Amino acid sequence: MVPALEVAPQENQDLELDSDMNSNCNGATQERVAVIGSGNWGSVASKLIASNTAKLSSFHDEVRMWVFEETLPSGEKLSEVINRENENVKYLPGVKLGKNVVADPDLVNTVKDATMLVFVTPHQFMEGICKRLIGKVRPDAQAISLIKGMEVKKEGPCMISTLITQLLHINCSVLMGANIANEIAQEKFSEATVGYREDEETALKWVLLFSTPYFLVTPVQDVEGVELCGTLKNVVALAAGFVDGLEMGNNTKAAIMRIGLREMRAFSKLMFPSVKNNTFFESCGVADLITTCLGGRNRKVAEAFAKNNGKRSFDELEAEMLQGQKLQGVSTAREVYEVLSHRGWQELFPLFTTVYEICIGHLSPSAIVEYSEHKPNFALVDGSAQVY
Amino acid sequence: MVPALEVAPQENQDLELDSDMNSNCNGATQERVAVIGSGNWGSVASKLIASNTAKLSSFHDEVRMWVFEETLPSGEKLSEVINRENENVKYLPGVKLGKNVVADPDLVNTVKDATMLVFVTPHQFMEGICKRLIGKVRPDAQAISLIKGMEVKKEGPCMISTLITQLLHINCSVLMGANIANEIAQEKFSEATVGYREDEETALKWVLLFSTPYFLVTPVQDVEGVELCGTLKNVVALAAGFVDGLEMGNNTKAAIMRIGLREMRAFSKLMFPSVKNNTFFESCGVADLITTCLGGRNRKVAEAFAKNNGKRSFDELEAEMLQGQKLQGVSTAREVYEVLSHRGWQELFPLFTTVYEICIGHLSPSAIVEYSEHKPNFALVDGSAQVY
């Protein structure tokens, strides 16, 4: 099949020459890539990247991957086993990463020579990691964040890409999409979206670095839109889970997903007027939403919550179903609600608001499909023209 | 939940007054509705409409429903049983239609006094029905088509709404969306989209006539975009079914659905430059696509086709799985392919093209996710600016 508008091999060639011609000015003619993070998604990202750096002359073969060192039950260090087996036996067992992936437990050493930094850690660790990297990264380095689920504070979303730029004073793009790490590790067909700020040439380098025949990457000039999709979709996944638990059928589920996508779009555009409608047609938008609402932890626990008619709390169900892991969706729903109530926008976002009130037990799960006479009136909101 | 931008009761009030004030000029102060068709969806549409005409003073209570007369096994006439039982025992058993629904086997008599005509028959009968109605409908009547799956001829799509306007010389809107008739009959929450040409006041009358607390209708000024969504989604559903049959997972399925939505949008905009991007965010677009790719006949048979690795033809599987009923998707895929090859656009629509070639056995089902070096170049197509 011929997925349209993606980077095809002949275009890779152009990009490659292009990035050669624009090699950075301190003599280095090749980009050096460091991956900060080595969990499930970080390991898959390293595998994708390593398959490209091995063949593209504009990149140095070696991909250095920072490993938060652990001692395995065998008594060995995780980084040593990864380098010996060429496999992350703990977070991506059974998949070879590529011989040019080098695990390094030393964060500063990992980034030392890198011109392209790929951040893919749990988002709660990012602030600490960035602080340790202040003054340690090349001033000409470019960053990209694969981290979904930045925090949404009262004042507005606190983007991971912004955090990286503010602390390290380097430009930061994002890569988001319908990306279930294990399916991509098995080289099943998938897509992703690179969101960039101004520098299209750098965006195309990221596209080149991640694209494979089974992983198609499209660049869009809309960092905030792409990054917000990765977070807000988890709130919609809770709504979809409620519908599943109530056994309302595909028709209702599709309607709720559509309304959710519309609120994702409206919320993003009110927060950042630069956000583009078309971003929501990309993999980071509609495709990631579909994947998350079909499978996914948030949908699953929300389904159980609705089946129990809200009588068992999310904390209880999380502890039971996710071995104490926390659901992104529930905290994001609360954070989004804080923004809405802070600005008096609850009635403009009926789905987001209702999901939160169901999560905290103020409404029953069936409220997700109960009609109300309220009707959003965006005329009340400055700069809200055409948010829908 | 508060589905945004839908017609809330207080707005219904305004519309009602509004349509009263604008009652047609030949003295009638109430709209009279006729439904042409009484199958599964036609019966549900009559039920929705009847629940509104019974309470809104701007509409005459009675909803006249044309029944293609049949003799039931009991020897009774279908129309007589519907009028006695207030139920379409053959096509929507167990659901009361409303006492103000009157089944009429006489097509001409059904439309005689109607100011609002709702067409909801199988599309292959529409030309014959319209020909029988020439000169029989009120010149001031408004029409709406609920018929999905108009034909796509070499020269381009042959819209049902256009057929109605050309033959009956009346304005025609369309209503499409994620509408599984039986789920709506059970009053499960759902949405729909009314596509209209110029006359917004009439569009709002249609919204008023169909909207209920569990069925939310949104008007958009884009007849062609809305109508094409209802047809093209069946081609994407085949692609989604192939992915299911190949057991590629949700990630790949979401990617294929996204690429399909993009081709629906590009095809519609190349055919009708007036088509709007936002139409594809409405129920007729993304929501109907999701419903159709999750459930639906086309997806189901395509899944079986892929499981058999194309060794059993669609004709064979249809006969076995659908009691000889034909799949919309397969004929639409062929019709769309004829347009593409007629214009030399195959490479611009890799998904549509690949689905057709899989259907006719030129490619194996796995081709749906096989990468190719071809890449659409819309610069080659006149007026194609920003079709994506």
Side-chain angles (χ1 to χ4, degrees):
Chain A
M1 210 269 291
V2 199
L5 291 189
E6 314 301 352
V7 176
Q10 66 278 23
E11 193 181 42
N12 286 6
Q13 286 307 324
D14 310 343
L15 288 177
E16 193 180 340
L17 296 169
D18 189 49
S19 64
D20 262 330
M21 291 181 297
N22 298 282
S23 56
N24 52 51
C25 48
N26 49 27
T29 57
Q30 291 184 308
E31 303 287 351
R32 295 187 75 108
V33 183
V35 177
I36 296 94
S38 53
N40 187 231
W41 186 209
S43 301
V44 175
S46 297
K47 174 183 185 280
L48 285 170
I49 292 166
S51 71
N52 284 318
T53 59
K55 14 176 239 287
L56 301 174
S57 63
S58 55
F59 295 89
H60 190 287
D61 285 7
E62 182 183 285
V63 176
R64 205 157 267 273
M65 176 175 80
W66 176 58
V67 173
F68 180 81
E69 193 65 287
E70 311 178 37
T71 305
L72 300 174
S74 64
E76 294 177 290
K77 300 272 185 225
L78 177 58
S79 63
E80 289 163 10
V81 177
I82 292 173
N83 287 329
R84 190 185 67 230
E85 303 295 329
N86 187 226
E87 178 181 324
N88 188 331
V89 293
K90 180 159 186 185
Y91 297 105
L92 191 63
V95 177
K96 294 298 174 192
L97 299 179
K99 297 209 172 306
N100 50 330
V101 173
V102 176
D104 187 339
D106 180 334
L107 177 62
V108 171
N109 189 61
T110 302
V111 304
K112 181 159 56 44
D113 305 318
T115 57
M116 300 179 82
L117 302 170
V118 178
F119 288 92
V120 53
T121 68
H123 77 290
Q124 60 270 29
F125 301 149
M126 272 306 291
E127 190 162 358
I129 287 168
C130 286
K131 284 179 174 162
R132 287 172 59 193
L133 289 178
I134 292 172
K136 311 294 188 187
V137 302
R138 293 174 52 134
D140 63 350
Q142 287 282 343
I144 194 164
S145 168
L146 276 52
I147 302 160
K148 289 177 179 177
M150 79 280 178
E151 285 158 37
V152 183
K153 299 185 173 166
K154 257 199 194 58
E155 327 58 87
C158 165
M159 324 286 283
I160 301 280
S161 57
T162 311
L163 177 77
I164 291 169
T165 296
Q166 285 174 345
L167 289 175
L168 304 180
H169 307 294
I170 56 177
N171 179 45
C172 187
S173 307
V174 296
L175 182 141
M176 305 277 152
N179 302 147
I180 297 171
N182 289 327
E183 293 189 7
I184 298 164
Q186 295 166 50
E187 307 195 352
K188 289 183 172 175
F189 178 78
S190 174
E191 297 186 299
T193 312
V194 162
Y196 67 98
R197 206 166 293 284
E198 277 99 21
D199 181 359
E200 188 181 11
E201 186 196 314
T202 300
L204 293 177
K205 271 186 208 166
W206 287 121
V207 169
L208 184 64
L209 186 63
F210 281 95
S211 296
T212 71
Y214 60 88
F215 191 70
L216 304 177
V217 185
T218 306
V220 301
Q221 188 173 8
D222 184 1
V223 175
E224 289 83 5
V226 174
E227 198 166 358
L228 275 162
C229 281
T231 297
L232 297 174
K233 60 148 204 226
N234 288 325
V235 181
V236 185
L238 293 176
F242 296 147
V243 173
D244 287 342
L246 296 165
E247 294 172 3
M248 308 277 310
N250 290 337
N251 225 6
T252 301
K253 187 172 179 178
I256 291 299
M257 288 166 69
R258 187 200 81 81
I259 292 167
L261 182 63
R262 184 183 54 197
E263 292 195 11
M264 286 167 62
R265 197 155 53 100
F267 185 84
S268 303
K269 292 171 80 173
L270 283 175
M271 289 292 148
F272 301 96
S274 64
V275 167
K276 297 173 176 156
N277 274 327
N278 276 346
T279 298
F280 298 83
F281 282 126
E282 297 294 340
S283 178
C284 62
V286 65
D288 197 12
L289 180 69
I290 290 169
T291 306
T292 311
C293 291
L294 294 188
R297 277 203 303 274
N298 290 283
R299 188 212 63 80
K300 189 173 147 209
V301 178
E303 181 181 26
F305 183 86
K307 278 190 188 303
N308 289 285
N309 197 22
K311 289 189 179 57
R312 300 185 59 197
S313 73
F314 268 102
D315 288 345
E316 195 182 342
L317 292 165
E318 280 168 18
E320 179 178 304
M321 301 172 74
L322 308 177
Q323 297 77 41
Q325 224 180 342
K326 282 287 169 194
L327 280 187
Q328 204 85 65
V330 175
S331 53
T332 306
R334 188 190 63 252
E335 292 166 0
V336 168
Y337 184 84
E338 281 166 10
V339 174
L340 298 181
S341 56
H342 181 64
R343 305 191 181 213
W345 286 353
Q346 292 98 319
E347 291 191 2
L348 302 182
F349 293 90
L351 186 135
F352 286 168
T353 301
T354 305
V355 166
Y356 171 71
E357 291 181 335
I358 291 170
C359 288
I360 61 170
H362 286 183
L363 290 174
S364 88
S366 61
I368 201 66
V369 290
E370 273 156 25
Y371 192 70
S372 157
E373 299 193 3
H374 299 294
K375 172 163 173 289
N377 179 354
F378 279 93
L380 303 172
V381 185
D382 292 345
S384 68
Q386 300 168 319
V387 286
Y388 281 160
Chain B
M1 209 269 290
V2 199
L5 293 188
E6 312 303 354
V7 177
Q10 65 276 25
E11 193 182 43
N12 287 8
Q13 286 308 325
D14 309 343
L15 289 176
E16 195 179 340
L17 295 171
D18 189 47
S19 62
D20 263 332
M21 290 182 299
N22 297 283
S23 57
N24 52 51
C25 46
N26 49 27
T29 58
Q30 290 186 307
E31 303 288 352
R32 297 188 73 108
V33 184
V35 177
I36 297 95
S38 53
N40 186 232
W41 185 209
S43 301
V44 174
S46 298
K47 175 184 185 280
L48 285 169
I49 292 168
S51 70
N52 284 318
T53 58
K55 18 177 235 287
L56 301 175
S57 63
S58 55
F59 295 90
H60 190 289
D61 285 7
E62 181 183 287
V63 176
R64 205 156 268 273
M65 177 174 78
W66 176 58
V67 173
F68 180 79
E69 193 64 285
E70 314 178 36
T71 306
L72 300 174
S74 64
E76 294 177 292
K77 300 274 184 222
L78 177 59
S79 63
E80 289 162 12
V81 177
I82 292 174
N83 286 331
R84 189 184 70 231
E85 303 294 329
N86 187 225
E87 179 182 323
N88 187 331
V89 293
K90 180 160 186 183
Y91 297 106
L92 191 63
V95 177
K96 294 297 173 192
L97 300 179
K99 296 210 173 305
N100 50 330
V101 174
V102 176
D104 187 340
D106 180 335
L107 178 62
V108 171
N109 188 62
T110 301
V111 303
K112 182 162 51 51
D113 304 318
T115 57
M116 300 179 81
L117 302 170
V118 178
F119 289 92
V120 54
T121 67
H123 77 289
Q124 60 271 28
F125 301 148
M126 271 308 290
E127 191 163 355
I129 288 169
C130 285
K131 285 180 174 163
R132 287 171 58 193
L133 291 177
I134 291 172
K136 311 293 188 190
V137 303
R138 289 173 55 134
D140 63 349
Q142 287 282 343
I144 194 164
S145 168
L146 276 53
I147 301 160
K148 290 179 180 177
M150 80 278 178
E151 283 157 37
V152 183
K153 300 187 173 164
K154 258 199 194 57
E155 321 69 77
C158 166
M159 324 287 283
I160 301 283
S161 58
T162 311
L163 177 76
I164 291 169
T165 296
Q166 285 174 346
L167 290 175
L168 303 181
H169 306 295
I170 56 178
N171 180 42
C172 187
S173 306
V174 296
L175 182 142
M176 305 277 153
N179 302 144
I180 296 171
N182 289 326
E183 294 188 8
I184 297 165
Q186 294 166 48
E187 307 195 354
K188 289 183 171 176
F189 178 79
S190 176
E191 296 187 299
T193 312
V194 162
Y196 67 97
R197 207 166 291 283
E198 275 100 21
D199 180 358
E200 187 180 12
E201 187 198 315
T202 300
L204 293 176
K205 272 187 208 168
W206 288 120
V207 169
L208 184 63
L209 187 64
F210 282 95
S211 296
T212 72
Y214 60 87
F215 191 71
L216 304 176
V217 185
T218 307
V220 301
Q221 189 173 4
D222 183 1
V223 175
E224 290 83 3
V226 173
E227 198 166 357
L228 275 162
C229 281
T231 296
L232 296 174
K233 60 146 206 228
N234 287 325
V235 182
V236 185
L238 293 175
F242 295 147
V243 173
D244 287 342
L246 296 164
E247 292 171 5
M248 309 274 317
N250 290 338
N251 224 7
T252 301
K253 187 171 179 177
I256 291 299
M257 288 166 68
R258 186 200 82 82
I259 292 167
L261 183 62
R262 183 183 56 195
E263 293 196 10
M264 286 167 61
R265 196 155 52 101
F267 185 83
S268 304
K269 291 172 79 173
L270 284 176
M271 288 293 148
F272 301 96
S274 64
V275 167
K276 296 170 177 159
N277 274 325
N278 276 344
T279 297
F280 298 83
F281 282 126
E282 296 295 341
S283 178
C284 62
V286 65
D288 196 11
L289 181 70
I290 291 169
T291 306
T292 311
C293 291
L294 293 188
R297 278 204 300 276
N298 291 283
R299 188 213 62 81
K300 190 173 146 212
V301 178
E303 180 181 28
F305 182 86
K307 278 193 189 301
N308 289 285
N309 197 24
K311 290 188 180 54
R312 299 185 60 198
S313 73
F314 268 101
D315 288 343
E316 196 182 341
L317 292 166
E318 281 169 16
E320 179 178 304
M321 300 172 75
L322 307 177
Q323 297 76 39
Q325 223 179 344
K326 281 287 168 195
L327 279 187
Q328 204 85 67
V330 175
S331 53
T332 306
R334 187 190 63 250
E335 292 165 359
V336 168
Y337 184 84
E338 280 166 11
V339 174
L340 299 181
S341 55
H342 182 64
R343 306 194 181 209
W345 287 353
Q346 293 98 318
E347 291 190 2
L348 302 181
F349 294 90
L351 187 134
F352 286 168
T353 301
T354 306
V355 166
Y356 172 69
E357 291 180 338
I358 292 170
C359 288
I360 58 170
H362 285 183
L363 290 174
S364 88
S366 61
I368 200 69
V369 291
E370 273 156 23
Y371 191 72
S372 154
E373 299 193 3
H374 298 294
K375 176 164 172 287
N377 180 356
F378 279 93
L380 304 173
V381 184
D382 292 344
S384 69
Q386 299 170 318
V387 286
Y388 281 162

